[in-house]
Amino acid sequence: MPLLKCDIIEGRTDEEISSLLDATHEVVLKAFRVPEGDRYQIVNEHRPSRTRIEDTGLGIPRTGKNVILQVISRPRSIDDKQTFHRLLCEALSDKCDISASDVMVTFVENTDPIGHSETVRPSS
Amino acid sequence: MPLLKCDIIEGRTDEEISSLLDATHEVVLKAFRVPEGDRYQIVNEHRPSRTRIEDTGLGIPRTGKNVILQVISRPRSIDDKQTFHRLLCEALSDKCDISASDVMVTFVENTDPIGHSETVRPSS
Amino acid sequence: MPLLKCDIIEGRTDEEISSLLDATHEVVLKAFRVPEGDRYQIVNEHRPSRTRIEDTGLGIPRTGKNVILQVISRPRSIDDKQTFHRLLCEALSDKCDISASDVMVTFVENTDPIGHSETVRPSS
């Protein structure tokens, strides 16, 4: 159960958000090889005044289309994470007109395999 | 200082949210054996269109009563986490009419014991 | 790319929020020695009824000016985190009239060095 928390600036339409979530989920499926239904996504929209997104001094052009994605997941290999990031940038560019330079991804490890109630059993 | 971030779909009343937070806190107390006042909870409500919650392909029935709980805490044992999850499902079912199949929990480790200002001292 | 998620109670002005974010960023620069432009901050405002912030039973006075800051970052030393916390409490007190007793900080590790698209390259 990778849980994806997606922070964006307000102003996108429902269709644009659907497209963003669908494109992102396809990348989760490819990069992490999880079941189709392993989809847990939450979007938070923010007023511009409630975010500060700069460029680490690297001259990266940021626009109001910034996507800050937090992926909370069991540990994934560096390769899988790099693949995820590369495919995500490609997909958001192709399908959502979001430039790679507007995509920021943070991976955080879920420390435990229990992700939904069915997997939890009293320890014996 | 376990910090609990609780994502739900909008539409619950203040009373329902209070009940959810109270029930959850009682479980924190039991499972993690922290002081009564060790309570740090934040609720985020979302429009349905801003979430995608599926079932990992396991046929788990999800409803609009989904609770996605992120527990940010110092490391806890597997046993404690399993106990937490079990007690939470029981409590939300008993007190809030939320089915275990609508409860998703993610544990993330806080990497440091400093949780509030009083515990921080200049290193010597 | 430290990513800072800042949860506060609603009711602050834009200027107060700007001041809070600016003061916090100066502390990030000092404590973590990152480039000036390494600034990634998101503020979430909450109705009082959507939070429960107590005091761990320590008699810490909390007010509606609570700041709950989650710092998602590559691993930092205990010293750096303590310095961050100390400087943050000083800065928020000096510049934002926020008492140290209202400041709560949680550190979570980003598991990977890829923080923005430019750093991601296909593994070879």
Side-chain angles (χ1 to χ4, degrees):
Chain A
M1 183 189 138
L3 171 63
L4 278 73
K5 295 200 171 183
C6 186
D7 291 288
I8 58 177
I9 306 297
E10 64 182 11
R12 282 187 173 90
T13 65
D14 283 12
E15 289 69 29
E16 286 172 317
I17 289 177
S18 278
S19 170
L20 171 60
L21 293 177
D22 288 348
T24 300
H25 184 56
E26 283 180 37
V27 172
V28 168
L29 296 180
K30 280 184 201 165
F32 298 151
R33 300 169 299 280
V34 295
E36 170 72 29
D38 202 349
R39 183 169 182 172
Y40 300 91
Q41 299 175 313
I42 298 173
V43 173
N44 281 296
E45 293 160 283
H46 306 275
R47 278 181 285 166
S49 66
R50 268 48 180 170
T51 69
R52 297 288 186 281
I53 305 299
E54 299 190 358
D55 73 343
T56 319
L58 298 174
I60 307 167
R62 306 286 194 200
T63 75
K65 285 187 165 178
N66 284 322
V67 173
I68 299 182
L69 185 67
Q70 189 174 13
V71 180
I72 304 158
S73 154
R74 68 172 176 76
R76 307 280 170 185
S77 71
I78 298 273
D79 271 13
D80 281 358
K81 287 187 275 194
Q82 288 182 323
T83 298
F84 177 86
H85 200 290
R86 180 175 49 80
L87 294 178
L88 183 68
C89 289
E90 291 173 7
L92 296 190
S93 173
D94 290 351
K95 298 173 184 171
C96 309
D97 197 27
I98 296 169
S99 158
S101 59
D102 271 330
V103 178
M104 284 143 275
V105 181
T106 298
F107 292 99
V108 170
E109 283 184 12
N110 178 344
T111 64
D112 209 67
I114 60 170
H116 50 79
S117 52
E118 277 65 17
T119 63
V120 181
R121 293 174 185 84
S123 55
S124 56
Chain B
M1 181 189 141
L3 171 62
L4 278 72
K5 295 200 170 182
C6 186
D7 291 289
I8 58 177
I9 306 297
E10 64 182 12
R12 282 186 172 90
T13 65
D14 283 12
E15 289 70 27
E16 287 174 315
I17 289 176
S18 278
S19 170
L20 171 61
L21 292 177
D22 289 348
T24 300
H25 184 57
E26 284 180 38
V27 173
V28 168
L29 296 179
K30 281 184 200 165
F32 298 151
R33 300 169 299 280
V34 294
E36 170 70 30
D38 201 349
R39 182 170 183 171
Y40 300 92
Q41 300 175 314
I42 298 172
V43 174
N44 281 295
E45 295 162 282
H46 306 276
R47 279 182 285 166
S49 65
R50 269 48 179 171
T51 68
R52 296 290 185 282
I53 305 300
E54 299 191 358
D55 73 345
T56 320
L58 298 173
I60 307 167
R62 307 285 194 201
T63 74
K65 286 186 164 179
N66 285 323
V67 172
I68 299 182
L69 185 68
Q70 189 174 15
V71 180
I72 303 158
S73 155
R74 68 172 176 75
R76 307 279 170 185
S77 71
I78 297 273
D79 271 14
D80 281 358
K81 288 188 275 194
Q82 287 183 324
T83 298
F84 177 86
H85 201 289
R86 180 174 50 81
L87 294 178
L88 182 69
C89 289
E90 290 173 7
L92 297 190
S93 173
D94 290 352
K95 298 173 184 171
C96 309
D97 196 27
I98 296 170
S99 158
S101 58
D102 271 329
V103 178
M104 283 144 275
V105 181
T106 299
F107 292 99
V108 170
E109 283 183 10
N110 179 345
T111 63
D112 210 67
I114 60 171
H116 49 80
S117 52
E118 277 65 16
T119 63
V120 181
R121 292 175 185 82
S123 53
S124 56
Chain C
M1 183 189 138
L3 171 62
L4 278 73
K5 295 199 171 183
C6 185
D7 291 288
I8 57 177
I9 306 297
E10 63 182 11
R12 282 187 172 90
T13 64
D14 283 11
E15 289 69 28
E16 287 173 316
I17 289 176
S18 278
S19 170
L20 171 60
L21 293 177
D22 288 349
T24 300
H25 184 57
E26 283 181 37
V27 173
V28 168
L29 296 180
K30 282 184 199 164
F32 298 151
R33 300 168 299 282
V34 295
E36 170 71 31
D38 201 348
R39 181 170 184 172
Y40 300 92
Q41 300 174 314
I42 299 172
V43 173
N44 281 296
E45 294 161 284
H46 305 275
R47 279 182 284 166
S49 65
R50 268 50 180 171
T51 68
R52 297 289 184 283
I53 305 299
E54 300 190 358
D55 72 344
T56 320
L58 299 173
I60 308 166
R62 306 286 193 201
T63 74
K65 284 187 164 178
N66 284 322
V67 173
I68 299 182
L69 185 68
Q70 189 174 14
V71 180
I72 304 158
S73 154
R74 69 172 176 75
R76 306 281 171 185
S77 71
I78 297 274
D79 271 12
D80 282 358
K81 287 186 277 194
Q82 288 182 323
T83 299
F84 177 86
H85 201 289
R86 179 175 51 80
L87 294 178
L88 182 68
C89 289
E90 291 172 7
L92 297 191
S93 172
D94 290 351
K95 298 174 185 171
C96 308
D97 197 26
I98 296 170
S99 158
S101 58
D102 271 329
V103 179
M104 284 144 275
V105 181
T106 299
F107 292 98
V108 170
E109 283 184 10
N110 179 345
T111 64
D112 210 66
I114 61 171
H116 50 79
S117 53
E118 276 67 17
T119 63
V120 181
R121 291 174 186 83
S123 55
S124 55

